[in-house]
Amino acid sequence: MLQLRNIHKTFGSVKALRGVSLSVGKGEIHAVIGENGAGKSTLMKILSGATQPDPGGVIRLEEKSWHPRNPAEGRMAGIAMIYQELNLAPHLTVEENVLLGMEISRRGIVQSQTRKVREALDWLEQSELSPGDIVGKLGIGKKQMVEIARALVADARLIIMDEPTSSLSAEDTQVLFRVIRKLREKGISVLYISHFLEEIKEICETYTVLRDGETVATGQVADTETETLISHMIGRKVDDLYPYHPHEPGEPALDVSHLSADSLSGDLSFSLRKGEILGIAGLVGAGRSETVRTIFGLEKAQNGTISVAGQPAVSAAWLSPRKALGHGLDLLSENRKEEGLALNMSIGANITLSALRSYARLGFINLRKEAESARKWIDTINVKCRDEEQSIRHLSGGNQQKACIARLLHHDSDVLFLDEPTRGIDVGSKAEIYRMIHQLAARGKAIVVISSYLPELMGICDSLAVMHRGTLSPVRPVTNWTRQEVMRYATSGTLNELI
């Protein structure tokens, strides 16, 4: 179906791809694996026509030489790209999104293709999804299916999926896997990019590993151990994916009492101590993110009080992000594209922007001092970039996430809310982030980690609570939870008595 040989791509002095080769058969589900910055996104953009490779390489599509000059040519050739950050027009209907750029018009009037869209949705097992539904009102799983429906209507022969499950619930992930298997049966090839190696073991047949812009391994997924894949990705063994740094919970750091909001169905209370890592599990949409956003002042609270480090309690409705920062609270948003980053600014500016007073005197910014601080955090958290002046827009998603974390570390707040902190992060970098979280706890920081990946919470947290439809379970030591018990509460809101 597809062959790439000796593909190079250079951006200025940065060599993003160094002779990459890859082959995909018809109806094959092929994993593309690698650390952040390994060249995966650049390679996929070349395939979709969004980026042009350097001269000299060979791309063959169904035995014919092929070099798309733009995304339109890629789509016409049957290549569909589904990005991690979905590209949908939220104000348009499902049908309008599916047909965007492929409308049929007569005498200037767009003709209805509802039947064609309905057939695609039914084939994707989305009978409850109407072509007339407004996309902005759909959940993330349904939006993903709209993207796939668009690929089907366009008669795609190769669908590229970039981190397709990073925002999906376990149920939506299984629906997606059923759809991918149906695509294979239909003879449609899938290039599957993911940092979740257990997903790759479940859904993919073959793989290619990229490291530092080069192809370092390829083979059959069933014949390859997970540890071998990790070693190929990072060039070394990861002896402990969940490293532990000694830390002991101490004095109270945060007390949340009777918190309620439109997105939270009941009075929510919990306490957090200095040096404690509290995990919050639950299904997507259960209210996990809404809880910390309400505490941080991003969403309006109806009732409840917040007390930080034993100080007098303040009304949660009074808080705003500025006031929360002033009280020593800080938030890593799960939505880095729209909330976590200023995409039109440099890496350094994104790290220092919310703490410019540290470099200001008499209304002037000490740019040299600001740049030195940004470089320090870039080195500390190992952001792969040219320098601090590079636009953050041009980094891989994982390195953008690292820059977001660097900004929090730069603030040096006492209570940290980390919402999906390793989303889009490769396995080697995850271990670095986990180690950093434990080191922060050892320094007395109080940390709340929200994650859709339960092994992550079980591996790094001291205590755990689970959300179900806006209500929070009692907080227990993480050793007193089982995965079955977490899922029981997440899906039913019932909890066995602790023995």
Side-chain angles (χ1 to χ4, degrees), residues 375-421:
R375 284 195 295 270
K376 182 192 78 170
W377 288 114
I378 286 171
D379 293 339
T380 298
I381 203 166
N382 193 26
V383 180
K384 293 183 180 179
C385 61
R386 184 181 66 246
D387 54 38
E388 78 280 358
E389 293 297 323
Q390 183 179 355
S391 172
I392 201 161
R393 183 188 300 276
H394 297 141
L395 296 186
S396 66
N399 280 297
Q400 288 179 348
Q401 184 78 334
K402 287 183 180 181
C404 292
I405 295 173
R407 182 176 66 246
L408 264 68
L409 299 178
H410 176 253
H411 288 166
D412 198 31
S413 297
D414 295 323
V415 180
L416 304 178
F417 301 116
L418 308 181
D419 196 353
E420 303 287 1

Side-chain angles (χ1 to χ4, degrees), residues 281-456:
L283 303 179
V284 173
R288 301 169 307 165
S289 298
E290 290 80 0
T291 296
V292 295
R293 290 170 66 84
T294 302
I295 296 171
F296 194 68
L298 278 170
E299 296 191 10
K300 192 67 174 177
Q302 295 173 342
N303 293 295
T305 59
I306 310 291
S307 176
V308 181
Q311 298 298 313
V314 299
S315 169
W318 171 81
L319 283 172
S320 66
R322 182 186 294 273
K323 292 173 181 176
L325 284 169
H327 276 71
L329 307 178
D330 214 338
L331 171 69
L332 176 73
S333 171
E334 68 169 339
N335 189 346
R336 63 172 174 262
K337 182 179 180 181
E338 297 181 9
E339 292 183 341
L341 297 170
L343 290 172
N344 60 332
M345 301 186 76
S346 69
I347 301 166
N350 271 274
I351 292 174
T352 62
L353 188 60
S354 51
L356 286 179
R357 290 183 180 179
S358 305
Y359 312 103
R361 186 178 181 186
L362 301 177
F364 293 92
I365 302 295
N366 186 330
L367 298 178
R368 180 185 60 80
K369 184 179 178 182
E370 181 190 11
E372 288 176 354
S373 181
R375 284 195 295 270
K376 182 192 78 170
W377 288 114
I378 286 171
D379 293 339
T380 298
I381 203 166
N382 193 26
V383 180
K384 293 183 180 179
C385 61
R386 184 181 66 246
D387 54 38
E388 78 280 358
E389 293 297 323
Q390 183 179 355
S391 172
I392 201 161
R393 183 188 300 276
H394 297 141
L395 296 186
S396 66
N399 280 297
Q400 288 179 348
Q401 184 78 334
K402 287 183 180 181
C404 292
I405 295 173
R407 182 176 66 246
L408 264 68
L409 299 178
H410 176 253
H411 288 166
D412 198 31
S413 297
D414 295 323
V415 180
L416 304 178
F417 301 116
L418 308 181
D419 196 353
E420 303 287 1
T422 61
R423 181 188 175 199
I425 298 270
D426 59 78
V427 65
S429 298
K430 281 181 180 180
E432 295 176 18
I433 299 300
Y434 299 150
R435 185 177 295 107
M436 191 174 303
I437 290 172
H438 274 262
Q439 289 172 347
L440 289 168
R443 288 168 46 194
K445 306 295 184 184
I447 303 168
V448 175
V449 178
I450 296 172
S451 178
S452 302
Y453 187 46
L454 189 54
E456 178 174 81

Side-chain angles (χ1 to χ4, degrees), residues 257-261 264-270 302-304 470-472:
S257 181
H258 301 295
L259 182 71
S260 63
L264 304 175
S265 59
D267 289 348
L268 187 149
S269 302
F270 69 91
Q302 295 173 342
N303 293 295
T471 62
L472 189 68

Side-chain angles (χ1 to χ4, degrees), residues 171-189:
E171 182 180 354
D172 284 337
T173 296
Q174 290 306 311
V175 172
L176 176 65
F177 285 178
R178 288 201 303 271
V179 167
I180 291 175
R181 293 185 181 105
K182 289 181 70 175
L183 293 172
R184 176 181 60 193
E185 293 169 2
K186 197 176 181 180
I188 297 173
S189 305

